[in-house]
């Protein structure tokens, strides 16, 4: 039996449940490739799935469970009927989400439809910081809200993983971008292309922002509540499901304001990853890494992630 190193949980709880151990190495099935993972992205959903049986992820699987969804690495074996990739290809993606993808490991298998060739201009670490956050931004503002050139979007939390990609993608599309962030990140989000930056420690955004075409809410709670005050009647708020009560709050407020409310659930897309790879290689999209940790130090990355003040993304290197 071939084995590999991985970070696995045998119980739910604090970061001490993360175990760096030897486990069985998977084999690619039909329509899959085996990827030697070089780096794995860390997302809030990873930490939530570690703490308790999250309905969309870990509640579907028995323990033990290998966390993580974002990968960047090299194709080392092909399953039957695979012609889209070749051994040696550098790839990246978010395989299988919300099912178990086992990104926190030396090797994992990935359906060919869920991955794409890695951008040539990005390192493995940078590429691993892209998939879940960038796909969430892309699908929220393009697939769900259909943002168009000339429209105005308000993005709460512009310096975070999803937010910092959403700013860049909206500007690439030709939209005007308004965002909030803390004092230390004002220049960061401005450099990403934000047209109007509101320091939420100094001003309440609802007193500044009016009549936008779309809101991308990455914060929830009171930020979501006040977001309904700034959208044009009949337009849309897209919110992310990582915060408790967001769906219920949005559903309650939407009819009162005449606003469409959608709770976004990201899904894998190798096609969209390929489109974004072109943007990275053309210099139109960038990823910012706030921290890089060895795989065995996943607990440190989770602790920083749960702080809620990460600029851009965190990743794990897999040696």
């Amino acid at each position: 039996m071939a084995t590999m190193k991985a970070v696995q949980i045998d119980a739910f709880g604090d970061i001490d449940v993360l175990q760096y151990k030897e486990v069985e190495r998977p084999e690619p099935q039909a329509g899959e490739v085996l990827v030697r993972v070089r780096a794995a992205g860390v997302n809030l959903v990873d930490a939530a799935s570690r703490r308790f049986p999250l309905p969309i992820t870990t509640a579907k699987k028995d323990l033990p469970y290998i966390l993580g969804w974002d990968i960047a690495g090299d194709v080392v074996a092909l399953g039957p009927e695979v012609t889209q990739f070749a051994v040696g290809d550098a790839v990246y993606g978010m395989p299988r989400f919300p099912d178990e993808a086992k990104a926190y490991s030396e090797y994992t298998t990935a359906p060919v439809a869920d991955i794409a060739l890695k951008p040539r201009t990005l390192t493995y670490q940078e590429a691993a910081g892209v998939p879940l956050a960038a796909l969430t931004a892309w699908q929220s503002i393009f697939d769900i809200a259909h943002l168009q050139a000339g429209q105005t979007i308000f993005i709460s939390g512009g310096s975070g993983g999803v937010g910092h990609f959403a700013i860049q993608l909206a500007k690439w599309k030709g939209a005007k971008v308004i965002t909030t962030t803390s004092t230390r990140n004002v220049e960061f989000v401005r450099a990403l292309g934000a047209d109007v930056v509101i320091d939420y420690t100094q001003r309440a955004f609802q007193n500044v922002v009016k009549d936008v075409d779309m809101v991308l809410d990455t914060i929830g709670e009171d930020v979501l509540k006040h977001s309904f005050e700034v959208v044009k009647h009949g337009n849309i708020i897209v919110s992310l499901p990582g915060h408790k009560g967001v769906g219920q709050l949005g559903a309650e407020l939407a009819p009162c304001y005449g606003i469409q409310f959608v709770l976004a659930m990201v899904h894998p897309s190798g096609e969209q990853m390929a489109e974004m790879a072109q943007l990275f290689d053309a210099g139109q999209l960038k990823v910012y890494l706030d921290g890089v940790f060895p795989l065995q130090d996943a607990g440190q990355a989770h602790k920083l992630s749960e702080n809620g003040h990460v600029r851009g993304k965190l990743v794990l290197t897999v040696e």
Side-chain angles (χ1 to χ4, degrees):
M1 179 186 76
T3 63
M4 64 179 182
K5 292 290 190 181
V7 171
Q8 181 177 280
I9 60 171
D10 297 320
F12 296 103
D14 207 345
I15 59 174
D16 58 358
V17 303
L18 296 168
Q19 301 179 56
Y20 183 64
K21 62 196 303 183
E22 200 88 14
V23 299
E24 184 177 357
R25 194 176 87 180
E27 293 295 331
Q29 304 303 305
E32 298 178 349
V33 297
L34 180 66
V35 178
R36 171 58 169 97
V37 180
R38 302 295 179 182
V42 175
N43 297 286
L44 281 172
V45 68
D46 303 10
S49 299
R50 184 210 73 228
R51 289 196 305 270
F52 49 81
L54 197 65
I56 63 167
T57 56
T58 32
K60 296 182 176 183
K61 293 285 289 185
D62 295 329
L63 297 174
Y65 192 95
I66 297 176
L67 292 166
W69 286 273
D70 287 349
I71 62 168
D74 301 309
V75 174
V76 293
L78 308 176
E81 304 167 15
V82 170
T83 58
Q84 297 92 328
F85 297 97
V87 170
D89 283 346
V91 295
Y92 78 143
M94 183 193 69
R96 306 187 190 282
F97 188 86
D99 293 329
E100 187 178 21
K102 302 183 178 182
Y104 290 11
S105 57
E106 289 182 311
Y107 296 87
T108 193
T109 57
V112 294
D114 293 356
I115 58 173
L117 294 176
K118 179 183 76 67
R120 298 184 307 277
T121 54
L122 297 188
T123 65
Y124 288 106
Q125 289 78 21
E126 290 170 332
V130 173
L132 191 147
L135 283 172
T136 299
W138 181 287
Q139 292 166 12
S140 296
I141 63 181
F142 298 148
D143 297 349
I144 297 174
H146 307 292
L147 185 72
Q148 300 297 317
Q151 292 186 320
T152 300
I153 179 173
F154 171 60
I155 301 166
S156 63
S159 62
V162 174
H164 93 293
F165 286 126
I167 290 171
Q168 297 175 78
L169 289 170
K171 290 303 297 179
W172 168 70
K173 193 68 172 179
K176 178 181 178 181
V177 175
I178 305 171
T179 192
T180 55
T181 194
S182 62
T183 306
R184 82 177 187 98
N185 289 319
V186 167
E187 292 308 316
F188 172 67
V189 297
R190 189 169 282 138
L192 293 173
D195 298 286
V196 179
V197 181
I198 301 166
D199 181 345
Y200 66 75
T201 70
Q202 304 295 321
R203 293 187 292 173
F205 74 88
Q206 65 270 24
N207 296 333
V208 181
V209 183
K210 301 295 177 188
D211 296 328
V212 301
D213 299 289
M214 175 199 171
V215 168
L216 176 59
D217 162 50
T218 74
I219 307 296
E221 300 173 337
D222 285 346
V223 172
L224 172 58
K225 182 179 178 181
H226 291 300
S227 293
F228 281 91
E229 303 168 20
V230 308
V231 189
K232 290 177 185 176
H233 183 84
N235 283 44
I236 187 168
I237 293 175
V238 179
S239 195
L240 308 185
H243 303 281
K244 187 176 180 181
V246 165
Q248 181 179 347
L249 178 61
E252 289 173 356
L253 292 177
C256 303
Y257 285 89
I259 300 297
Q260 183 186 2
F261 174 78
V262 178
L263 198 60
M265 176 62 69
V266 68
H267 58 83
S269 173
E271 182 179 348
Q272 290 172 348
M273 295 304 304
E275 288 187 69
M276 286 190 281
Q278 295 180 13
L279 296 182
F280 280 110
D281 286 339
Q284 295 176 299
L285 198 55
K286 293 179 172 62
V287 55
Y288 181 86
L289 300 185
D290 202 11
V292 179
F293 302 83
L295 179 61
Q296 56 266 40
D297 292 337
Q300 293 183 34
H302 275 219
K303 190 173 182 180
L304 189 57
S305 174
E306 290 174 297
N307 262 349
H309 297 289
V310 173
R311 176 189 285 183
K313 291 301 304 294
L314 303 172
V315 300
L316 305 172
T317 58
V318 186
E319 299 299 333

